[in-house]
């Protein structure tokens, strides 16, 4: 099944957030840390107790954040006329990873649009960023 890797991605993301909080200046406030942990716990609780007929919606819960974060970067790059220190290699690999996710989802799960939509939108936005890289 294609969902097994999400546990490892979750662990990686938790480690990244921990490192970010440890090394960022200024450090996040106690309120910020508690707020993030509470929201995370609420998301897990909703995920555990969601009725089976709504489980198909879970893969799209990250879609608004994906669109907002990538679109903000695309718009900023367009307004400033430069991508700044955005790495062409990293952007290319992100775009390639998005395309690979689309391919593996189609081959392993089929044409499940609830899964494919976030990968296709992410790939399109990554492709836009790649087109902006000088």
């Amino acid at each position: 099944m294609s969902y097994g890797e999400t546990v490892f991605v979750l662990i990686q993301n938790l480690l990244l957030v921990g490192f970010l909080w440890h090394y960022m200046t200024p450090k996040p406030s106690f309120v910020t840390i508690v707020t993030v942990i509470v929201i995370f716990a609420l998301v897990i609780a909703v995920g555990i107790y969601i009725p089976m007929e709504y489980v198909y919606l879970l893969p799209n819960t990250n879609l608004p954040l994906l669109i907002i974060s990538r679109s903000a970067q695309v718009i900023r790059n367009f307004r400033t006329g430069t991508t700044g220190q955005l790495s062409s290699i990293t952007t290319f690999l992100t775009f390639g990873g998005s395309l690979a996710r689309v391919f593996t989802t189609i081959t392993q799960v089929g044409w499940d649009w609830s899964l494919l939509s976030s990968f296709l939108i992410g790939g399109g936005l990554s492709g836009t960023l790649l087109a902006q890289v000088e």
Side-chain angles (χ1 to χ4, degrees):
M1 194 91 186
S2 181
Y3 302 103
E5 73 210 22
T6 56
V7 173
F8 296 105
V9 172
L10 171 66
I11 293 168
Q12 288 174 346
N13 286 335
L14 291 175
L15 286 171
L16 286 171
V17 169
F19 286 137
L20 176 73
W21 285 347
H22 179 74
Y23 290 109
M24 70 187 289
T25 305
K27 302 258 187 239
S29 69
F30 178 75
V31 173
T32 301
I33 293 172
V34 169
T35 303
V36 169
I37 291 171
V38 167
I39 290 171
F40 180 72
L42 287 172
V43 168
I44 289 176
V46 168
I48 291 172
Y49 294 109
I50 192 168
M52 286 305 291
E53 62 264 17
Y54 298 115
V55 170
Y56 74 95
L57 294 172
L58 290 178
N60 291 326
T61 56
N62 72 331
L63 198 53
L65 187 59
L66 171 76
I67 292 170
I68 291 168
S69 64
R70 297 262 173 90
S71 296
Q73 188 174 14
V74 167
I75 292 167
R76 189 178 127 239
N77 292 346
F78 180 76
R79 286 185 179 159
T80 60
T82 182
T83 55
Q85 296 180 350
L86 187 64
S87 167
S88 59
I89 294 171
T90 304
T91 306
F92 174 75
L93 291 174
T94 302
F95 177 67
S98 297
L99 294 181
R101 286 292 286 189
V102 169
F103 175 75
T104 56
T105 300
I106 291 170
T107 56
Q108 292 180 358
V109 182
W111 290 90
D112 182 356
W113 289 105
S114 67
L115 281 175
L116 278 175
S117 61
S118 59
F119 300 139
L120 288 169
I121 291 170
L125 290 169
S126 294
T128 304
L129 284 173
L130 183 61
Q132 288 180 331
V133 174
E134 300 166 347

